[in-house]
Amino acid sequence: MKLEQVHVENSNKLLQDYRDQQATLSSFFHYKNDQTSFEQRLKDLAGHPIRRKELTAIIRHFMSDLASSNKIEQHLNELEQDAVVVVGGQQAGLLTGPLYSVNKAISVLLVAQQQREKLGVPIVPVFWVAGEDHDIDEINHTFSTINGRLVKHVLTDSSKVKKMASATLLNHQKLAEWIEHIFSQFGETAYTKKLVEETLEVANNSVSYTDFFVKLMNDLFKEYGLLYIDAADPALRQYEAPYFERLIEHSEEIAALVTARETKLDELGYGAPIGATEDAANLFYVKEGERFLLSRVNGSFVNNAANLHFTKEEMKKLAHEEACFSNNVVTRPMMQDMVFPVLAFIGGPGELAYWSTLKDGFELLDMQVPVFVPRMNISYVTRETEHNLQAMGITAAQAISGEVAKKKAAYDKKIYDDEAKQAIERAKQLVTTQYKEIQEHLAAKEIHLERIVDKNLDFHQQQFDFLMKQIEKDIRLKHDVAFKQFMQVESELLPAGGFQERVYSPYPYLNQYGQHFIENIMALSFEVSDKHSIVYL
């Protein structure tokens, strides 16, 4: 493997301005994304009121069914003592979900290790699984490429009830069939049989989407000591009871502050990522695995559709007695900071947008927004892709920046038969002129066949168009190798016009390069920066 880190033009203005530390956007955060901020944040965490033994016991229990390692035990012990954490998180997608789940985990591990060395203190990597998310349609599928065409493979579920990922039980027979179908799309390699067997075994021993996700992720990263916590874990919910009480107590103020902050963000041209409203409770009520978003009406917390109505005092009581609340995008970062001593949070552009609205809410709770570190963007270049890039005379960085489409358009123009097109256009014009003469002649003779003549002309025009398409098809066929190269590179590096990491799971690469895929990636000398990482496989 070979690593190249390059600057790639970024179309997300919010992310670019954050990286450039634009003053207008920096005012939305307590810390800049630089080394002095890590040092200051560490000092600010000195008095963080964390119940370490209790929290570590919850994580140990949650991870008790997972394969352990010396690094995992080391990090658990350090967290129980005095460590701070670097946190990142993601939904519980099938086959780990898109590659950015893996890339985010890599970012968490690298930032934690980097800051451990620079600050000289124990820093533990934590992956916060969003098992409370209930939009299963966002996580029940993966993609493969068949003949250059992107194909979506959905794990169908007959259930009409939208439960949390951690409460959505897997149909083992359907999941096994889905896994075998997916791997059949990847193609047979020396690693396929073993990988399929191991994936099926994990699936068979998993109960929910979250369970399946965490087991697969842990198999990839256990040697690096990545810890996991599920936002929907009942034990964590119980641990969070006093923190939910704070969020309930200050719900009205948090909503007002976030709404006002989002308005400022929108006025600066960054949009309104949350769509915050002052009547939002920013909490869900959970019942039998379903989540019901609450609003505030006349001092009460309600969801009329679910016939829910609670006073503030009833909400506080429920938080302790039933542990039945769940966070949304506003309160989740606040909850993370109350649960953990968070040195830094690793997130993508969407999360950066949410977090940009939270500064005043954090201050209300006597907290500060942790250092926000944009996760690394990583693109993986197979040997076939590298070969095709060389044939086209462009680099992977240029391809990721959209150069393939330009190259393809230029090539298309170069081989296009303009003479044939011009000849056909002249023929079409000539026929049109002749038919006009026919129409005029018939009209003079008072023979009214206008519709038949027009239909006849239209038929001939269609035949000319058909002939041109056949000429184009034949030309394309003669240059089929070149067009397949364009198609392969685009489908590999920019599927559906976006970064590879937003579409494909890591399993096509594990299938092609073996189970040491992650180990080989982690051995590369990554620089945690705003550069785009290109890994040649």
Side-chain angles (χ1 to χ4, degrees), residues 145-160:
T145 302
I146 301 174
N147 297 324
R149 185 170 58 92
L150 198 63
V151 179
K152 185 177 183 179
H153 306 278
V154 181
L155 175 63
T156 56
D157 191 338
S158 59
S159 174
K160 302 295 183 184

Side-chain angles (χ1 to χ4, degrees), residues 215-434:
K215 282 184 167 70
L216 291 180
M217 286 288 286
N218 187 66
D219 283 348
L220 296 177
F221 292 106
K222 63 178 179 292
E223 296 305 324
Y224 307 97
L226 188 60
L227 304 184
Y228 301 88
I229 190 67
D230 176 17
D233 182 5
L236 178 63
R237 286 267 176 77
Q238 193 63 58
Y239 175 89
E240 292 171 335
Y243 308 140
F244 273 116
E245 187 174 354
R246 290 182 70 191
L247 294 173
I248 292 164
E249 178 63 36
H250 296 288
S251 175
E252 183 175 356
E253 300 102 305
I254 290 172
L257 290 168
V258 170
T259 302
R261 178 65 69 164
E262 186 177 49
T263 299
K264 293 179 183 178
L265 192 71
D266 194 22
E267 289 171 353
L268 290 170
Y270 298 114
I274 296 173
T277 58
E278 293 195 11
D279 64 347
N282 294 306
L283 293 172
F284 290 88
Y285 175 77
V286 180
K287 184 176 182 180
E288 296 177 355
E290 287 188 78
R291 292 205 304 172
F292 303 94
L293 187 61
L294 298 173
S295 298
R296 285 179 297 96
V297 178
N298 297 325
S300 295
F301 294 74
V302 304
N303 181 306
N304 291 324
N307 197 28
L308 298 173
H309 187 282
F310 306 111
T311 65
K312 183 184 285 188
E313 292 309 311
E314 286 172 335
M315 289 279 289
K316 292 178 182 179
K317 186 176 180 182
L318 285 169
H320 286 274
E321 295 182 356
E322 297 187 21
C324 56
F325 295 116
S326 168
N327 296 292
N328 75 344
V329 294
V330 170
T331 53
R332 183 183 295 164
M334 298 174 186
M335 181 62 77
Q336 283 180 350
D337 208 60
M338 287 187 278
V339 170
F340 288 103
V342 182
L343 177 73
F345 178 80
I346 312 295
E351 288 159 312
L352 177 64
Y354 297 147
W355 282 62
S356 299
T357 68
L358 304 181
K359 182 179 181 182
D360 301 324
F362 267 75
E363 289 180 355
L364 177 71
L365 300 174
D366 298 319
M367 302 188 301
Q368 292 176 306
V369 178
V371 180
F372 188 101
V373 181
R375 68 170 174 81
M376 291 195 304
N377 295 115
I378 307 176
S379 292
Y380 302 97
V381 180
T382 63
R383 296 184 187 103
E384 180 186 7
T385 302
E386 188 173 9
H387 170 78
N388 288 337
L389 286 168
Q390 290 170 352
M392 282 185 262
I394 63 174
T395 66
Q398 289 173 320
I400 292 165
S401 299
E403 192 65 28
V404 180
K406 295 176 184 176
K407 277 275 185 180
K408 185 167 68 172
Y411 188 80
D412 207 6
K413 185 177 181 180
K414 178 183 176 183
I415 65 172
Y416 195 84
D417 194 336
D418 281 321
E419 291 183 7
K421 183 178 181 180
Q422 290 168 9
I424 289 172
E425 287 298 326
R426 287 195 299 270
K428 288 173 72 175
Q429 186 60 47
L430 180 61
V431 169
T432 300
T433 301
Q434 290 174 332

